[in-house]
Amino acid sequence: MTPKKRRAAACLRALMLLPLFCSPVLGGCFGPFKSEAQGPEMPASMQQSPAQAASFQSATALPGEVGPRATYKGETVSSLKATGIEGGLVLPDGAGGVVVVPGAPREGQQAGYVDARELKLKIREMAEQLIAGCSNQGAVALPVSFVNQDDLNQTSSFGRFIAEQLFYEFNQRGFPVREYRIPGHISMREGEGDFYLSRALGQLGVPADAVVVAGTYYGDKQAVFVNARLIRPHDGRVLRTANLVLQSNPLTRRMLAGSGKKLDEGVMHIRDYKDKAAPLQMQNGTPFDRGEDIH
């Protein structure tokens, strides 16, 4: 923990212990001390019953060690030093309950890591939608790269990752999955490694017992939309569908980099300009194109 974080933690502990030591002093000098700052009354439907409160206390009991005795509300009680918990606050809500304020992620769990975990869980949710209530009847799943909604011939790291993750999700749920990127040999390249998967196989036929897991995605500055289908190849029937929406973040933007419309490739030789471009420019161009306002 950095010195700055240690100082902040020490101040927080001091603030939390302040009522314990101030209450007896204030009570002796000015009589019973009552706080007038009470929160709004909680609706009856949301208030905890004694049984619920007891259940909450037992469910949230944390391992710890008994420390020195302290004074709380005029009574001497044993203090408990909790161990093995994450940072955060548990504060009274003014109506007999508590408000839990989560702390910052643990050191190492930065925003990028949290975004990655969220993406994985979202794809798991999509796999559940595809498989729920679907009897495979001996079918084998073939997950393929998801493609750009606006250009079905284009994908990205995002589309490829969805396919890779669906291999895992389907397999974990007992739905047979077949790896189709197998050239039939292991390629060993010195200084690089040993390779068995390959995309340099051209077009592959789809087995009769297979279902293809395919889909599209669309991303903008605010969100990423994904739609998935479980397709029976021989007649194109869509057996199941699923969709999800992700909040756009630095991770998804990096994975989607390269998606979108691109300029078509073309070549014009300089020697062709006078024969091809210049006549069209003279006929259809503006006065500036024809050089009439150039001095």
Side-chain angles (χ1 to χ4, degrees):
M1 182 180 292
T2 63
K4 184 176 181 181
K5 290 183 178 180
R6 285 198 293 270
R7 289 195 297 270
C11 292
L12 179 60
R13 286 195 295 271
L15 289 172
M16 295 179 69
L17 290 174
L18 188 60
L20 300 180
F21 299 102
C22 291
S23 180
V25 175
L26 294 173
C29 297
F30 302 102
F33 178 76
K34 296 182 180 180
S35 173
E36 299 297 334
Q38 297 292 335
E41 184 177 357
M42 184 179 292
S45 60
M46 298 178 62
Q47 294 181 8
Q48 287 184 325
S49 66
Q52 289 174 326
S55 174
F56 175 82
Q57 292 174 1
S58 62
T60 57
L62 298 170
E65 55 187 22
V66 176
R69 302 181 72 80
T71 302
Y72 179 66
K73 292 186 177 180
E75 298 181 3
T76 302
V77 297
S78 297
S79 64
L80 183 68
K81 179 182 178 182
T83 59
I85 61 173
E86 301 295 340
L89 296 174
V90 179
L91 305 173
D93 63 0
V98 296
V99 176
V100 179
V101 182
R106 289 182 301 178
E107 188 173 351
Q109 290 190 4
Q110 302 302 325
Y113 175 80
V114 175
D115 291 340
R117 294 282 300 175
E118 178 69 13
L119 176 58
K120 178 180 178 180
L121 293 175
K122 283 289 189 179
I123 297 176
R124 176 173 299 175
E125 173 190 332
M126 189 172 66
E128 292 282 3
Q129 294 180 42
L130 288 170
I131 296 176
C134 180
S135 175
N136 59 23
Q137 298 179 347
V140 177
L142 303 179
V144 299
S145 301
F146 281 41
V147 295
N148 184 355
Q149 173 184 288
D150 296 333
D151 186 350
L152 300 184
N153 292 314
Q154 183 191 70
T155 188
S156 62
S157 295
F158 182 79
R160 290 185 288 270
F161 175 75
I162 293 178
E164 293 296 327
Q165 191 65 25
L166 288 176
F167 270 95
Y168 168 80
E169 298 295 347
F170 271 66
N171 178 264
Q172 289 295 302
R173 285 158 181 75
F175 201 116
V177 187
R178 181 173 298 170
E179 178 55 78
Y180 50 87
R181 299 165 295 183
I182 301 175
H185 60 271
I186 299 175
S187 175
M188 295 182 290
R189 299 198 289 271
E190 186 176 356
E192 297 184 32
D194 312 317
F195 302 88
Y196 188 55
L197 302 180
S198 174
R199 287 194 171 96
L201 301 177
Q203 295 184 348
L204 299 175
V206 180
D209 63 341
V211 290
V212 178
V213 188
T216 62
Y217 61 82
Y218 170 78
D220 62 16
K221 293 181 180 180
Q222 303 299 327
V224 181
F225 306 87
V226 182
N227 286 278
R229 304 166 182 83
L230 204 61
I231 305 171
R232 193 166 63 187
H234 70 269
D235 60 0
R237 182 177 178 181
V238 176
L239 304 177
R240 295 285 296 176
T241 61
N243 60 25
L244 61 87
V245 180
L246 289 164
Q247 183 177 4
S248 183
N249 55 52
L251 173 66
T252 57
R253 285 192 287 270
R254 288 194 302 271
M255 298 180 75
L256 287 168
S259 293
K261 295 185 178 298
K262 299 180 179 179
L263 294 175
D264 293 334
E265 295 182 0
V267 177
M268 175 175 284
H269 298 288
I270 295 177
R271 64 175 180 271
D272 295 335
Y273 178 79
K274 184 180 294 185
D275 299 329
K276 295 182 178 179
L280 293 175
Q281 194 176 46
M282 294 300 293
Q283 295 172 14
N284 305 320
T286 65
F288 181 83
D289 296 326
R290 294 191 290 270
E292 294 179 358
D293 60 343
I294 299 177
H295 302 285

